[in-house]
Amino acid sequence: MPTHHPRRNEHGNVVLLTQPSQPTSMQSWSNPDAIATVIPDGVLPAELNGIALTDWTDVPVTAEAWQGVSGQHGFDEPAFNQPAGKRAAAGVVIQEADGRIWLISPSNRYGGYSTTFPKGRVDDGMHLQATAIREAYEESGLQVAITGFLADSERSLTYTRYYLARRVGGSPAAMGWESQAVHLVPRANLHQFLTHANDQALLAAIRALKPGEC
């Protein structure tokens, strides 16, 4: 049955979820071999792998604050060779301490994605890493810290840098209106969720990582 997302879109309009996602049991969160799913404002355990699942309380509210957001990592990353005519974007692959990967389900399968990684376009002057951290929060409710580089991906309109990251705070139940569910998925099950053609190269890049790299 359709339902309304508890958060309004950027125009202040109510978002109708035509095919709402369904949450999994509380037990799924503590089992590293299980798929766990939460819906907006859904029920969660108090903590996961020793880190509290609570709302990020001091979220940046200005472009300047996002530019200096904590969690950016000063490593030597590859040059970002943005093709002419493509908008820059940044995304993030977040691995939980138990080895599972965080994914989001865009509201109403936006862009044809049933499930994917948080990503978004870079505002003028914004760092790629800052953008990735912002998109992680807006689409998954999670506060993350960048740990490394994964891959660059060219789409029809954008050229996206994907980073590896770890969760340091936040709550997936606080996902913004662009997402109707957040999932925690064992790496062995990622192929069941990442079905869009645009995500196949990223799935291959994750599979190619050595133990401890993600």
Side-chain angles (χ1 to χ4, degrees):
M1 178 180 296
T3 187
H4 292 115
H5 199 294
R7 281 164 280 286
R8 296 180 178 238
N9 66 19
E10 75 271 32
H11 304 296
N13 298 326
V14 172
V15 176
L16 178 67
L17 302 176
T18 57
Q19 294 182 306
S21 302
Q22 298 300 313
T24 55
S25 68
M26 288 285 283
Q27 290 75 20
S28 65
W29 293 96
S30 60
N31 181 356
D33 296 320
I35 296 164
T37 299
V38 64
I39 59 175
D41 291 346
V43 179
L44 289 167
E47 60 87 27
L48 180 64
N49 298 311
I51 300 175
L53 290 169
T54 55
D55 291 359
W56 185 1
T57 57
D58 58 346
V59 179
V61 294
T62 66
E64 182 180 9
W66 275 115
Q67 186 76 314
V69 67
S70 63
Q72 298 181 71
H73 183 25
F75 65 99
D76 291 329
E77 54 185 285
F80 186 69
N81 298 314
Q82 180 183 347
K86 303 281 185 177
R87 285 287 304 274
V92 65
V93 174
I94 312 160
Q95 178 166 281
E96 186 61 27
D98 60 22
R100 290 181 285 182
I101 303 290
W102 291 93
L103 303 174
I104 58 108
S105 284
S107 294
N108 300 318
R109 296 178 60 93
Y110 182 79
Y113 291 88
S114 59
T115 313
T116 188
F117 301 104
K119 68 172 281 287
R121 295 187 181 186
V122 177
D123 293 336
D124 290 343
M126 181 74 72
H127 294 318
L128 289 165
Q129 290 193 28
T131 299
I133 293 170
R134 182 192 66 193
E135 294 301 317
Y137 172 70
E138 291 181 351
E139 297 186 358
S140 74
L142 300 178
Q143 181 182 7
V144 305
I146 303 295
T147 59
F149 165 80
L150 177 64
D152 289 333
S153 176
E154 186 170 356
R155 310 288 174 86
S156 57
L157 299 175
T158 61
Y159 190 71
T160 305
R161 168 141 300 180
Y162 282 91
Y163 293 99
L164 300 170
R166 59 185 176 87
R167 176 179 65 93
V168 296
S171 168
M175 70 191 82
W177 68 270
E178 294 176 288
S179 301
Q180 66 179 53
V182 177
H183 314 275
L184 191 55
V185 179
R187 289 174 67 164
N189 299 101
L190 286 176
H191 67 283
Q192 299 171 15
F193 286 78
L194 299 173
T195 56
H196 198 288
N198 287 343
D199 284 334
Q200 298 314 298
L202 298 174
L203 179 57
I206 293 170
R207 287 172 169 165
L209 291 171
K210 297 177 183 178
E213 280 189 305
C214 186

